[in-house]
Amino acid sequence: MTMVSDRSEAPSSTASTSGAEAVETPKQRRAALIAVTALPIVVVLAGLWGYNQPDIFTPHAQWVPYLLGVVMFTMGLTLTPQDFAAVLRRPWAVLIGLAAHYVIMPGAGWVIAHALSLSPELAVGLILVGCAPSGTASNVMTFLSKGDVALGVSVATVSTLVAPVVTPALTALLAGSYLHVDAGSMMVDIVKTVLVPIVLGVVVRLVIKDAGVRAIAPALPWTSAVVIAWIVAIVVAGSAGKLASVGGIVFLAVLLHNGFGLGLGYLAARLAGLDAKARRALAFEVGMQNSGLAATLAKVHFSPLAALPSAVFSVWHNVSGAVLAAWFARRPVRD
């Protein structure tokens, strides 16, 4: 799958492989490391640009759903029949990862929002990040950490496919006390901006075949990176006037949210009796979110301020994920 954030956050053609054909060569590993390093820098620069020159990006607010569609289309291009077969081969492990993802992150978002007494808009934005599907950047982090890439791809794929139902339902349940949540409208938007582009990408892959995908693969991750950075710039520009006053509390909330996800994801896999490689995979699948989708939904359904936690998450989870992956990589896998 394409490493993007956020499922829409980080760029890497190395992640654009099926679970059965995970990244293996030194060249691909170097490409993954470059991508993991580059994305946070690109996104930070885009955010600073949006903050300092909001007038350039605020007129583009209506483009955000279409930009996300581009990212999801690149993800669809990287999916193969082996990805779906991997789910059927290991349903129990995938179910554990899926349950952990959609229990830990939404719950953690709700708890942190209450503990920090976030404003309604920021609270909804943080909870929405937690209710989003797994981020595709997690697949690259799993590879770099010597984890179970096939399991990671399976969990990421399934969490994205069920998102049209699960994300709106959980958001309405946990964030409805802060602001009105139109779950039906949100479901339709997720179908249009996530499922339709993914299906289109899968169809295009079937037409152009693997050889065609390999020819364009180097461009896919960087396309995703630029698009995600553009989304972040638009989101930051929309709330630039309030960023100075809320930036600190938002960063603290995101840091805690991501940290709980990484730690509790690993713990959940361990308690379920999964092996060491699977634990590493689920740490990233739980702790890294499709923050691009969350930012899009927050922007469309709530306000630019509600999208700010997603923008910060887009940067931070790639930094924390890369650090954790490097730490794991230096520790031998023992089952």
Side-chain angles (χ1 to χ4, degrees):
M1 290 185 184
T2 304
M3 179 186 169
V4 291
S5 184
D6 49 279
R7 303 192 148 351
S8 62
E9 288 84 29
S12 174
S13 59
T14 61
S16 303
T17 59
S18 71
E21 303 168 349
V23 204
E24 297 174 355
T25 69
K27 181 178 179 181
Q28 290 172 319
R29 181 174 287 275
R30 286 195 299 272
L33 287 170
I34 292 171
V36 167
T37 304
L39 180 69
I41 296 173
V42 171
V43 173
V44 167
L45 292 176
L48 290 174
W49 192 6
Y51 177 74
N52 288 298
Q53 296 182 294
D55 292 344
I56 294 177
F57 296 97
T58 48
H60 303 160
Q62 71 275 14
W63 295 5
V64 170
Y66 303 102
L67 293 173
L68 179 64
V70 172
V71 174
M72 303 317 295
F73 173 76
T74 64
M75 174 185 165
L77 281 174
T78 68
L79 288 175
T80 68
Q82 290 90 340
D83 291 323
F84 299 101
V87 176
L88 300 178
R89 286 196 299 267
R90 313 171 68 183
W92 172 241
V94 174
L95 183 60
I96 290 172
L98 188 66
H101 180 86
Y102 278 122
V103 170
I104 291 172
M105 290 304 280
W110 184 87
V111 170
I112 293 168
H114 276 71
L116 298 181
S117 299
L118 297 182
S119 68
E121 289 173 297
L122 292 178
V124 169
L126 187 68
I127 292 170
L128 184 53
V129 173
C131 296
S134 175
T136 51
S138 59
N139 302 151
V140 170
M141 303 304 180
T142 298
F143 164 69
L144 293 174
S145 71
K146 301 179 182 178
D148 191 333
V149 179
L151 176 60
V153 171
S154 296
V155 173
T157 301
V158 176
S159 71
T160 300
L161 294 178
V162 302
V165 174
V166 178
T167 297
L170 286 175
T171 304
L173 175 66
L174 298 174
S177 60
Y178 287 102
L179 296 173
H180 172 67
V181 178
D182 188 342
S185 176
M186 189 178 291
M187 181 184 299
V188 172
D189 283 345
I190 296 175
V191 170
K192 291 191 297 185
T193 60
V194 175
L195 285 191
V196 171
I198 287 177
V199 171
L200 182 59
V202 171
V203 171
V204 171
R205 183 189 180 99
L206 292 174
V207 173
I208 67 176
K209 304 187 183 301
D210 288 348
V213 173
R214 283 194 295 270
I216 63 174
L220 295 180
W222 304 109
T223 299
S224 297
V226 170
V227 173
I228 289 300
W230 195 350
I231 292 175
V232 169
I234 293 172
V235 169
V236 171
S239 55
K242 298 180 180 180
L243 186 57
S245 61
V246 302
I249 193 68
V250 170
F251 180 76
L252 175 60
V254 167
L255 186 151
L256 291 172
H257 199 188
N258 173 242
F260 279 130
L262 294 171
L264 294 178
Y266 185 92
L267 180 61
R270 183 171 184 174
L271 293 176
L274 299 182
D275 62 34
K277 287 190 173 185
R279 295 172 199 168
R280 295 182 181 191
L282 292 196
F284 296 114
E285 292 309 323
V286 173
M288 301 186 71
Q289 301 295 94
N290 187 337
S291 49
L293 172 61
T296 301
L297 294 175
K299 178 84 174 174
V300 171
H301 291 269
F302 302 109
S303 69
L305 185 61
L308 191 56
S310 304
V312 175
F313 206 102
S314 289
V315 179
W316 176 249
H317 79 160
N318 284 292
V319 174
S320 65
V323 171
L324 181 59
W327 185 78
F328 274 143
R330 287 168 172 76
R331 297 174 64 85
V333 177
R334 295 190 182 96
D335 292 338

